[in-house]
Amino acid sequence: MGADARVPWADSLLELSKEEWLLRKSGFRRSEKHIRINETLLTLGNGYLNIRGSLEELPSGHAGGMYISGVYDKSEADVEELVKCPMWTDLSLWVEGQKFCLSTSRAIQHEQILDLKKGALHRRTTYRHPTGKILTLETLRIVMLHNQHYGCMLVRITPRNFSGPLRVFSGLNGGVCNRGYFPEELLKHLQLEKIERGRNFMYLEMKTREQEMRIAEAASWRLVAPPGQHLKWEPRIYGEKFTSEITLDVQRGKPYLFEKLSVVTTAREVPPEAMMKDAICRLRAFVRKGVQTEIRSHVSLWDERWKQADVQIQGDDAAQKALRYNIYQLLINGPPAPGGVGAKFLSSEGYLGHVFWDTEIFILPFFIYNFPDIARNMLLYRFNTLPGARENARRLGYAGAKYAWESATTGVDVTPRFASKLERTIRFIYTGAEEDHIVSDVIYGVEKYFRVTGDEAFLVDCGLEMIFLTARFWASRVIDSGERCEIRCVIGPDEFHEHVDNNAYTNALVKWHLKLAAMLFKHVGKSRPEVLEALSERLSLTRAEAAAWLRMSRKLGFRRDQKTGVIEQFDGYFALKDHVIDRFDREGHPVLPRGVTYRNIASTRLIKQGDVLMMIMLFPHAFTRKEIEVNYDFYEKRTAHKSSLSHCVHAIMGIQAGRRQHAYSYFMKTALFDLENLHKNTDLGIHAAAVGGTWQTVISGFGGFSIKSDRLVLKPWLPKKWESLSFSVRWRDRTVDVKVLHDRVSVLVHSLEDIELPLTLYRKTSRIRTNVLTELPYTAS
Ligand code: BGC
């Protein structure tokens, strides 16, 4: 499909957006890796359910899948995992007993196009069948944004050089399995509950085996044009598989248009006994309203979302396009109801669909600043899983609540005991037991949400309980060794070093967390005594407990080299063997120094990802420029970037440290992480933290934007080729439009009130009026 080729339904349904909004994947390569990378990148979704961009005929080597937020199951797996659900997108075309499939037919032309602006996946393939028959298949697939249960697939088939019978199948296949730990191992999480057919619908109801969560899928499949075409329709049920087969006599050169409409629900939204009736009613309503109407509503919601979320970079098309792709990923993964966001979003079974610290530290800020309701849903997941967090603490002999390093349905820790299948090695995993910084990472997200949105109801109803119970956990975990308080045997963000004492990142965050808890106790006691009284009674909280939090907070800290100012990552880190990264492979990835392997790396100062720099990133106002510089220069050289979470941290800190060329290159690595398959594992899913980190690098890195209590703070710096950077963020009930140029910024705060607000631009604070465009000069330093 050339740039100006028309999509089949361009006029009537959905025109392709402008080229800058399209991700094109042209040509077909049989390699499994390649097929799966495209499937990941071309995922569609709405945060309730997402579908990988698999080719409809599911060529051999595919890893197609549909994932529904929060639908996990364990059964015989090691731990609970996100369940692969039946996709409604399958389609197969047969002529003379042979299938048109990219595994067996030659592609004369093949392209998939993801339209980021409209959330739609287009495909156009012209196959040459082994019999010499040539046929063009065009599809348009949409997972509706405005109605999370709806999806549609429009299909146009044109026989190019033949006439005669053509069989076209589409159905619902319940026979899907998750991939297991070992190659070829399959884990079956779903069992058939019901499979039914009606005059014009198919219905499949599956149930997860252990948790007994039901999933209902209803679909209709019909020929829409040409009208009056004589055809044979045969719905067939084979065990857990439904196929709806249409046979018709096609004529060479003539297009045949089909339509599949689908509905997916779970027993979380509909009582189990009513699921079939409900799904069929929804399907009928969909058919009645018509796909065009639904697509219009879908596109208009996408327009609205982009209006808020788009970030414009003038002068750098590559950065702009990559950034938009990352924002697209965020937009299709915001949970429309309370729900966790996994480290691979809903794009695959990678990391078993589990929720990590990636969520609050890397992904949440985008939602806080753009769609606070979605951010709230993400935090409500943590609130709802507090009982699981309490159970985690209890099992380890601690008090309070300990958020799980890997979390799924209940919040009880589900970190696997052995290395995840992503890493392909068998080794024991200690993160579940030791990577405790997650507890405060969650609270960091809660505080940021409150600071930006001012949502006091959330703080009162949920946040305070989360903050107090987790503070109580720390108070039982922290050791008071006299002069200092210590946190022993942890893993910091750098997972190369396990069982370490006093990791600076963890200690700094816990110090902040305990202080926050103590201050809130005091503050709420004064401002809302009835709230504190009720909570204190329910949680048996006392003033003495809060006072102990403050004492511990004061005694927590980290060490630094007095001469150089470098912060020691954990006790004893400076005594480790010193190596720096000075070799890079052809793709620019760090190469471990000679003699260093993953077996002995813990005895060196080499680190997996930003750790001290992460700490500085979270508390930028607590460090001077000089401190940032020395720590950046020290740690950047010793970081192997073996995690997708690392590059954005180095981009943001590179800007703050004035190492700006580095910063741009780290930014592009983050932004292209999946688009260019940087770590060679995009086939296993999207790196959600890098996606959120891309957005943060632009807004808080290049834009230098943050909110400090009642004040806007800007410290921008733009790469040379960027002419300008524009974005818009939500702040309480206001919207702030920011445009950054190389020598000035313009800010417009839309608000219901006409008031003055402080804005700090580098070191200078001015007062700006709401609803008035203000331009201020600056010099980046
Ligand atoms: C990183 C963690 C991260 C996890 C999930 C690991 O490789 O070291 O920081 O939370 O991946 O993305």
Side-chain angles (χ1 to χ4, degrees):
M1 218 174 328
D4 38 36
R6 308 292 290 173
V7 279
W9 19 80
D11 301 327
S12 55
L13 281 177
L14 195 70
E15 257 177 277
L16 277 179
S17 300
K18 284 199 189 123
E19 198 56 37
E20 71 222 48
W21 290 93
L22 306 180
L23 175 65
R24 290 176 181 269
K25 292 286 162 189
S26 312
F28 178 73
R29 281 167 48 195
R30 293 219 160 95
S31 96
E32 184 176 294
K33 190 97 183 160
H34 192 256
I35 291 173
R36 294 181 181 186
I37 290 172
N38 282 354
E39 289 180 325
T40 299
L41 290 174
L42 302 175
T43 297
L44 290 177
N46 54 30
Y48 168 80
L49 74 81
N50 288 15
I51 301 190
R52 284 167 65 79
S54 311
L55 295 166
E56 287 75 9
E57 68 268 44
L58 301 176
S60 85
H62 81 90
M66 175 173 102
Y67 301 95
I68 303 178
S69 166
V71 175
Y72 293 98
D73 188 65
K74 180 175 176 311
S75 299
E76 67 267 40
D78 188 19
V79 289
E80 265 191 337
E81 54 186 23
L82 190 65
V83 174
K84 178 188 283 200
C85 298
M87 299 190 286
W88 43 260
T89 53
D90 67 297
L91 171 72
S92 50
L93 313 175
W94 296 73
V95 166
E96 293 175 18
Q98 287 201 51
K99 188 174 163 181
F100 281 90
C101 174
L102 282 175
S103 308
T104 50
S105 306
R106 198 166 72 77
I108 295 175
Q109 177 274 343
H110 170 68
E111 189 169 46
Q112 283 177 288
I113 306 176
L114 178 63
D115 188 327
L116 307 175
K117 193 156 193 288
K118 296 181 177 168
L121 181 62
H122 298 258
R123 173 210 183 154
R124 188 172 201 267
T125 304
T126 299
Y127 307 88
R128 185 193 297 276
H129 195 255
T131 57
K133 295 196 163 57
I134 297 176
L135 174 147
T136 299
L137 166 68
E138 290 153 301
T139 64
L140 163 62
R141 193 192 291 178
I142 293 177
V143 173
M144 300 287 173
L145 189 63
H146 68 293
N147 182 336
Q148 67 220 37
H149 304 286
Y150 280 6
C152 72
M153 182 169 73
L154 305 175
V155 178
R156 191 161 92 155
I157 299 167
T158 315
R160 295 281 167 205
N161 64 351
F162 70 97
S163 299
L166 173 73
R167 291 161 69 208
V168 187
F169 297 26
S170 188
L172 295 171
N173 182 3
V176 290
C177 292
N178 279 50
R179 280 169 301 137
Y181 184 83
F182 297 104
E184 315 305 328
E185 187 192 12
L186 293 176
L187 295 167
K188 184 147 175 56
H189 288 292
L190 292 173
Q191 68 189 44
L192 183 66
E193 191 60 28
K194 217 182 260 176
I195 187 160
E196 303 267 344
R197 59 178 221 209
R199 217 159 45 85
N200 41 24
F201 70 82
M202 39 190 145
Y203 179 76
L204 176 71
E205 193 174 308
M206 305 295 291
K207 182 166 89 177
T208 56
R209 285 173 55 214
E210 191 165 287
Q211 303 196 2
E212 305 202 343
M213 167 63 70
R214 292 193 199 198
I215 297 153
E217 298 192 17
S220 69
W221 170 234
R222 66 183 187 110
L223 175 76
V224 278
Q229 171 79 31
H230 180 71
L231 55 84
K232 196 160 97 194
W233 180 65
E234 290 167 292
R236 293 206 173 113
I237 293 173
Y238 305 98
E240 330 178 284
K241 186 172 175 180
F242 201 121
T243 54
S244 182
E245 180 177 332
I246 294 175
T247 308
L248 68 167
D249 265 323
V250 294
Q251 279 174 34
R252 172 196 178 129
K254 202 164 161 183
Y256 295 84
L257 191 57
F258 297 80
E259 173 193 279
K260 183 155 183 192
L261 306 185
S262 78
V263 168
V264 179
T265 59
T266 73
R268 284 176 310 190
E269 305 100 42
V270 185
E273 61 289 354
M275 288 187 86
M276 178 163 160
K277 197 162 163 227
D278 169 89
I280 289 161
C281 276
R282 288 180 200 243
L283 183 66
R284 293 219 166 105
F286 192 174
V287 172
R288 240 189 344 265
K289 238 175 158 184
V291 74
Q292 307 218 9
T293 313
E294 295 296 343
I295 290 181
R296 244 175 262 129
S297 308
H298 165 84
V299 172
S300 96
L301 187 54
W302 267 100
D303 270 350
E304 212 178 283
R305 294 270 161 101
W306 273 115
K307 215 185 245 166
Q308 168 57 49
D310 195 24
V311 175
Q312 286 166 8
I313 299 172
Q314 297 287 337
D316 188 346
D317 293 348
Q320 173 74 78
K321 198 157 183 180
L323 172 62
R324 286 224 170 105
Y325 179 75
N326 285 282
I327 296 176
Y328 164 82
Q329 279 296 337
L330 290 157
L331 291 175
I332 65 167
N333 282 290
V341 173
K344 298 276 167 194
F345 284 145
L346 289 173
S347 68
S348 78
E349 291 143 46
Y351 280 126
L352 313 176
H354 292 171
V355 182
F356 292 67
W357 71 313
D358 307 33
T359 306
E360 282 76 18
I361 299 297
F362 293 82
I363 301 162
L364 185 68
F366 167 82
F367 291 104
I368 292 178
Y369 280 116
N370 287 288
F371 305 105
D373 292 352
I374 297 180
R376 192 173 203 272
N377 285 339
M378 292 164 73
L379 292 172
L380 279 173
Y381 164 77
R382 294 296 193 180
F383 177 70
N384 294 340
T385 52
L386 257 182
R390 294 181 85 154
E391 177 60 18
N392 296 331
R394 197 193 58 77
R395 283 186 189 173
L396 293 166
Y398 296 116
K402 176 185 187 293
Y403 281 111
W405 175 245
E406 295 190 28
S407 182
T409 313
T410 61
V412 167
D413 194 275
V414 287
T415 308
R417 289 162 302 155
F418 298 99
S420 84
K421 46 194 166 191
L422 278 184
E423 296 178 23
R424 294 178 200 283
T425 55
I426 309 265
R427 63 171 180 83
F428 196 76
I429 297 185
Y430 294 99
T431 50
E434 297 181 13
E435 205 157 344
D436 292 350
H437 61 81
I438 174 84
V439 177
S440 299
D441 298 323
V442 171
I443 302 306
Y444 190 88
V446 170
E447 194 274 340
K448 186 166 201 151
Y449 170 77
F450 177 66
R451 181 158 29 99
V452 177
T453 63
D455 182 352
E456 208 173 302
F458 176 81
L459 188 72
V460 167
D461 298 341
C462 313
L464 289 175
E465 187 167 342
M466 295 164 79
I467 295 167
F468 294 153
L469 285 176
T470 45
R472 179 176 281 171
F473 159 75
W474 280 121
S476 68
R477 170 82 167 84
V478 168
I479 294 168
D480 191 335
S481 56
E483 228 168 80
R484 71 193 288 224
C485 274
E486 300 191 56
I487 307 178
R488 297 196 189 137
C489 199
V490 295
I491 300 177
D494 156 36
E495 296 177 347
F496 286 169
H497 297 91
E498 296 165 329
H499 334 300
V500 303
D501 295 340
N502 297 310
N503 163 256
Y505 175 89
T506 310
N507 281 19
L509 208 59
V510 176
K511 183 181 177 71
W512 165 87
H513 179 170
L514 287 170
K515 184 172 171 199
L516 174 78
M519 286 183 34
L520 277 173
F521 185 91
K522 205 164 144 196
H523 176 77
V524 178
K526 279 197 192 131
S527 62
R528 304 279 302 269
E530 73 297 350
V531 169
L532 188 71
E533 208 173 298
L535 252 184
S536 300
E537 200 175 308
R538 198 148 51 80
L539 307 180
S540 312
L541 266 180
T542 61
R543 204 174 291 170
E545 188 176 359
W549 295 340
L550 196 59
R551 273 198 309 279
M552 278 185 190
S553 163
R554 291 201 179 114
K555 287 167 75 176
L556 271 167
F558 45 78
R559 296 194 171 125
R560 63 176 100 208
D561 183 310
Q562 293 308 325
K563 254 204 259 139
T564 60
V566 175
I567 294 166
E568 188 172 35
Q569 191 178 292
F570 52 82
D571 290 356
Y573 172 83
F574 285 150
L576 298 176
K577 223 179 285 164
D578 199 19
H579 287 281
V580 292
I581 302 275
D582 50 12
R583 290 189 303 143
F584 299 85
D585 67 13
R586 257 187 291 151
E587 282 153 340
H589 302 306
V591 172
L592 295 185
R594 289 198 181 81
V596 178
T597 66
Y598 290 116
R599 285 181 188 283
N600 64 19
I601 202 157
S603 63
T604 76
R605 293 185 189 171
L606 293 172
I607 63 176
K608 180 178 176 184
Q609 64 203 87
D611 192 311
V612 166
L613 293 183
M614 276 287 323
M615 171 187 71
I616 301 179
M617 187 178 99
L618 297 194
F619 303 108
H621 307 299
F623 297 89
T624 61
R625 169 67 179 259
K626 183 83 197 135
E627 285 169 326
I628 298 176
E629 275 171 24
V630 294
N631 281 284
Y632 181 89
D633 291 344
F634 181 88
Y635 282 107
E636 196 258 344
K637 285 196 201 68
R638 291 164 177 84
T639 306
H641 302 298
K642 292 295 175 198
S643 159
S644 62
L645 280 60
S646 199
H647 306 83
C648 57
V649 178
H650 285 78
I652 295 173
M653 295 317 297
I655 294 167
Q656 294 194 16
R659 306 298 182 251
R660 285 161 178 166
Q661 272 326 308
H662 288 207
Y664 183 74
S665 115
Y666 279 124
F667 164 67
M668 286 308 277
K669 284 201 167 103
T670 304
L672 294 169
F673 207 89
D674 287 310
L675 287 169
E676 296 204 340
N677 189 23
L678 208 79
H679 271 192
K680 309 268 179 274
N681 60 5
T682 293
D683 50 324
L684 299 175
I686 291 288
H687 295 80
V691 168
T694 300
W695 182 86
Q696 288 196 56
T697 305
V698 176
I699 305 304
S700 58
F702 296 117
F705 178 86
S706 63
I707 284 172
K708 213 175 156 193
S709 54
D710 64 332
R711 183 174 355 144
L712 295 172
V713 179
L714 278 163
K715 260 184 168 182
W717 171 77
L718 297 189
K720 226 189 233 152
K721 63 177 157 185
W722 291 19
E723 287 154 24
S724 66
L725 165 68
S726 313
F727 56 89
S728 181
V729 289
R730 306 265 302 272
W731 175 28
R732 301 188 173 232
D733 50 4
R734 307 161 189 143
T735 303
V736 184
D737 296 340
V738 179
K739 182 165 185 173
V740 180
L741 292 110
H742 284 272
D743 57 352
R744 61 191 189 281
V745 293
S746 54
V747 181
L748 174 56
V749 182
H750 303 268
S751 169
L752 292 174
E753 303 167 297
D754 283 322
I755 49 168
E756 278 196 347
L757 291 166
L759 181 149
T760 304
L761 182 58
Y762 281 94
R763 264 169 235 104
K764 189 159 179 250
T765 299
S766 330
R767 295 192 72 79
I768 62 164
R769 284 204 73 76
T770 56
N771 303 314
V772 175
L773 182 71
T774 311
E775 221 177 69
L776 296 164
Y778 76 93
T779 310
S781 56

